[in-house]
């Protein structure tokens, strides 16, 4: 059936014409199983095209669910896919994980990703999650693989809870040998299952130990907001219980600026500074040499470690109990069969 553009816009008008309101939906208006995924934050003139079945086309990709055009708080026009959480996970797992992972690691990742997503439902804005790195990368139907769909189906409705409420979970590629203490590194609420654990399983990861050399000129420019004099050295600050430093000092003559390791990582670029676990920082003009451990923020589930555990025959529930001690797996109704 040809797409009726006017009819389509009318069908999405509820979202189209309510831009600017603080409350976009009340819990009763959106089924518990539905997630609103922001798939584009600046659509220009692009309009999603509804198709047969519970799917649509946008920007040459197919997505499950129902599209809406929304006005974002900054005034831009975005596109939201309202999709069952299980169908959303089909488009997350192959990108955030890999179809090549052992089934137990994929099942554990599916439970973490589902728990993460459901915790982000937010009725005060026109979407729950962003379909990119800032929440979870989401590729729609084009990204799906049978192996990752199986992991989603096998864990349907399973989430992690602590003391009877949904857990606050995070994941990153490789912790470097000890997961981070979320309260120490982010100022996150102190939760017993996010204090960090010693992880002997991720040592085979390519970024388990890493080194990068960066031109001093570039480091000086990146830190211009913090020091104006030529950099003369660095000092790594105190660490969390696992030894991951929380801050570092940049020395520039008489100037001394303290940055959190997370901020240092952001200003220099997360591809260069592979993780927040900076083990040494040496001024070697004309370069600065940085050594570190792991890839990503290091909080919560370690993907490389989970892979190794899964490959060694550890069940998904045991992998999750290792990275989130004291949590339990509970089932929530995410609809469908
Ligand atoms: Zn690890």
């Amino acid at each position: 059936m040809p797409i009726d553009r006017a009819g389509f816009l009318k069908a999405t008008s509820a979202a189209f014409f309510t831009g600017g309101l603080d409350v976009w939906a009340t819990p009763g208006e959106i089924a518990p199983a539905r997630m609103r995924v922001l798939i584009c934050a600046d659509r220009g003139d692009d309009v999603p095209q509804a198709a047969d079945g519970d799917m649509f086309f946008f920007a040459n990709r197919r997505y499950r669910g129902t599209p809406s055009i929304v006005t974002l708080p900054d005034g831009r026009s975005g596109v939201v896919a309202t999709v069952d959480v299980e169908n959303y996970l089909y488009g997350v797992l192959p990108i955030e994980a890999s179809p090549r992972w052992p089934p137990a690691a994929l099942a554990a990742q599916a439970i973490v990703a589902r728990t993460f997503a459901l915790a982000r439902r937010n009725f005060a804005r026109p979407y729950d999650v962003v379909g990119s790195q800032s929440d979870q990368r989401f590729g729609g139907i084009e990204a799906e693989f049978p192996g990752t769909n199986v992991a989603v189906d096998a864990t349907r409705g399973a989430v992690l809870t602590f003391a009877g409420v949904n857990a606050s979970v995070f994941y990153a590629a490789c912790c470097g040998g000890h997961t981070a203490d979320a309260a120490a590194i982010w100022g996150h609420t102190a939760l017993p299952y996010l204090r960090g654990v010693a992880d002997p399983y991720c040592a085979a990861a390519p970024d388990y130990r890493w080194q990068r050399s960066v031109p001093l000129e570039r480091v000086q420019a990146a830190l211009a907001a913090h020091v104006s004099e030529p950099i003369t050295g660095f000092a790594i600050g105190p660490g969390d219980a696992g030894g991951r430093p929380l801050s570092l000092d940049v020395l520039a003559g008489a100037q001394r600026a303290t940055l959190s390791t997370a901020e240092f990582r952001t200003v220099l670029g997360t591809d260069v500074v592979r993780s927040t676990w900076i083990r040494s920082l040496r001024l070697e003009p004309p370069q600065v040499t940085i050594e570190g451990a792991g890839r990503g923020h290091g909080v919560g589930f370690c993907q490389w470690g989970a892979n190794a555990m899964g490959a060694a025959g550890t069940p998904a529930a045991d992998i999750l109990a290792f990275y989130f001690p004291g949590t339990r797996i509970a089932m929530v109704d995410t609809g469908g069969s």
Side-chain angles (χ1 to χ4, degrees):
M1 194 178 86
I3 301 296
D4 172 359
R5 182 175 164 131
F8 171 77
L9 284 175
K10 192 176 172 192
T12 58
S13 63
F16 193 73
F17 292 114
T18 53
L21 294 183
D22 288 329
V23 176
W24 278 77
T26 59
E29 285 178 87
I30 296 176
R34 302 287 267 183
M35 296 293 304
R36 296 166 303 154
V37 185
L38 183 65
I39 58 169
C40 173
D42 193 359
R43 68 181 179 90
D45 293 327
D46 281 358
V47 174
Q49 302 289 320
D52 287 346
D54 189 25
M55 64 167 282
F56 66 95
F57 292 93
F58 181 71
N60 298 318
R61 297 184 78 90
R62 292 172 300 158
Y63 293 91
R64 296 179 189 271
T66 308
S68 308
I69 294 171
V70 300
T71 302
L72 298 170
D74 65 6
R76 289 183 300 171
S77 178
V79 177
V80 163
T82 300
V83 59
D84 284 348
V85 66
E86 305 296 344
N87 288 344
Y88 158 69
L89 292 173
Y90 287 161
V92 169
L93 234 60
I95 303 182
E96 291 287 359
S98 161
R100 294 186 299 275
W101 285 18
L106 276 180
Q109 174 73 70
I111 292 170
V112 172
R114 184 181 295 104
T115 307
F116 180 96
L118 291 173
R120 269 159 186 71
R121 286 163 63 84
N122 184 342
F123 300 108
R125 64 185 185 194
Y127 59 89
D128 298 308
V129 289
V130 180
S132 69
Q133 180 87 31
S134 59
D135 283 324
Q136 302 191 103
R137 289 173 290 169
F138 172 66
I141 293 173
E142 317 308 338
E144 295 177 10
F145 274 88
T148 43
N149 285 5
V150 163
V152 173
D153 292 343
T155 61
R156 174 174 287 272
V159 296
L160 280 181
T161 62
F162 182 80
V165 297
N166 275 20
S168 176
V169 297
F170 301 93
Y171 58 93
C174 171
C175 73
H178 200 294
T179 62
D181 179 340
I185 201 160
W186 287 341
H188 191 274
T189 310
L191 296 167
Y193 55 90
L194 290 182
R195 282 192 192 129
V197 295
D199 182 1
Y201 301 108
C202 59
D207 280 322
Y208 185 71
R209 297 288 179 264
W210 52 264
Q211 177 177 316
R212 291 289 185 280
S213 289
V214 190
L216 173 57
E217 209 171 58
R218 183 174 155 195
V219 177
Q220 187 84 50
L223 295 169
H226 300 276
V227 291
S228 54
E229 296 295 316
I231 292 171
T232 49
F234 303 94
I236 293 180
D240 68 4
R244 181 183 303 258
L246 307 177
S247 66
L248 56 85
D249 287 355
V250 181
L251 314 175
Q255 298 177 343
R256 188 180 189 106
T258 302
L259 283 78
S260 73
T261 44
E263 186 181 10
F264 182 77
R265 198 173 168 235
T266 301
V267 298
L268 245 74
T270 54
D271 276 347
V272 174
V273 183
R274 312 288 286 169
S275 69
T276 52
W277 198 339
I278 296 164
R279 293 160 61 89
S280 89
L281 197 53
R282 299 190 303 274
L283 182 63
E284 296 170 340
Q287 292 188 322
V288 172
T289 300
I290 311 166
E291 288 180 352
R295 178 81 173 113
H297 53 64
V299 175
F301 183 78
C302 171
Q303 294 181 308
W304 271 91
N307 252 284
M309 293 173 86
T314 308
D318 292 352
I319 296 173
L320 294 170
F322 175 75
Y323 288 112
F324 302 105
T327 59
R328 301 179 56 144
I329 296 174
M331 303 302 288
V332 297
D333 183 5
T334 57
S337 55

